[in-house]
Amino acid sequence: MDPAPGDSRHDPAVGSAAGSAVGSTVGSAQGPRTFSWDFQVRFIDLNASGHLDNLQILRAVDEARHRLLGVGEPGAAPLLVGLLADAPAHVATLVAAQRVEYRRELWFAAAPLDITLWVCRVGGSSFDVATEVRQSPAEPIAAVAVTTVVVVDTTIGSPWPLSAPVRAALTAYLGPAPTLR
């Protein structure tokens, strides 16, 4: 999927790990810190009914999650630095589960989709990322997802216990889990 051009809205107060991802971070006393990313829908993303295909919504959610967490090959320098920047190079992430609820249709438009993410659970070697997808920031939620991510030590093929720095980076984005029907 072609990455959408981000508008690079960035809060420099966020730390180096989150600050390197293209997107924006928002946090206040009224809610958790979140990461927002714009995804430009393409014609190929539409289904026969003319709205965004469910699979493409999941791909947009996946792309946004990678921008939040970071991307890299095991054992190599990261290609995109994110919340997991302090994890060793031999650590990778695997999606263990994904729950998605589609609430309304999404359409092709000149403006990109608004995707907002935050962490809604931190465990010993896994965490959940909540995602809301909207046609635009002012529109109601069109899709909501909760993705369980397991952090794995690729040298031994087992879950990797979250280190204090990684746990702190994830916890900075900790908020309530979305309510799914």
Side-chain angles (χ1 to χ4, degrees):
M1 196 171 233
D2 297 335
D7 64 3
S8 299
R9 296 169 293 162
H10 169 63
D11 177 359
V14 173
S16 61
S20 298
V22 176
S24 67
T25 55
V26 179
S28 72
Q30 299 162 350
R33 178 180 285 172
T34 61
F35 175 82
S36 293
W37 183 63
D38 295 335
F39 177 81
Q40 184 60 56
V41 175
R42 306 165 305 163
F43 287 115
I44 197 168
D45 299 331
L46 305 177
N47 62 20
S49 299
H51 59 80
L52 189 62
D53 189 79
N54 292 354
L55 177 59
Q56 299 303 66
I57 294 170
L58 279 176
R59 286 186 174 146
V61 166
D62 185 58
E63 174 89 15
R65 187 181 64 257
H66 285 299
R67 289 178 180 273
L68 170 66
L69 300 178
V71 177
E73 296 178 39
L79 302 171
L80 181 64
V81 178
L83 292 181
L84 300 179
D86 290 325
H90 64 276
V91 166
T93 60
L94 298 174
V95 170
Q98 192 155 35
R99 295 159 302 283
V100 183
E101 184 176 292
Y102 302 99
R103 297 183 178 176
R104 58 189 318 120
E105 293 175 327
L106 292 163
W107 304 94
F108 179 85
L113 299 179
D114 179 70
I115 304 176
T116 303
L117 303 93
W118 67 95
V119 176
C120 60
R121 182 192 64 83
V122 179
S125 59
S126 67
F127 56 93
D128 290 348
V129 176
T131 309
E132 293 176 343
V133 182
R134 291 178 168 83
Q135 188 73 50
S136 71
E139 297 287 327
I141 297 169
V144 62
V146 176
T147 306
T148 299
V149 178
V150 177
V151 185
V152 176
D153 181 333
T154 60
T155 61
I156 58 174
S158 296
W160 178 75
L162 298 176
S163 65
V166 169
R167 184 174 296 283
L170 293 169
T171 302
Y173 284 79
L174 189 60
T179 303
L180 298 174
R181 291 181 264 188

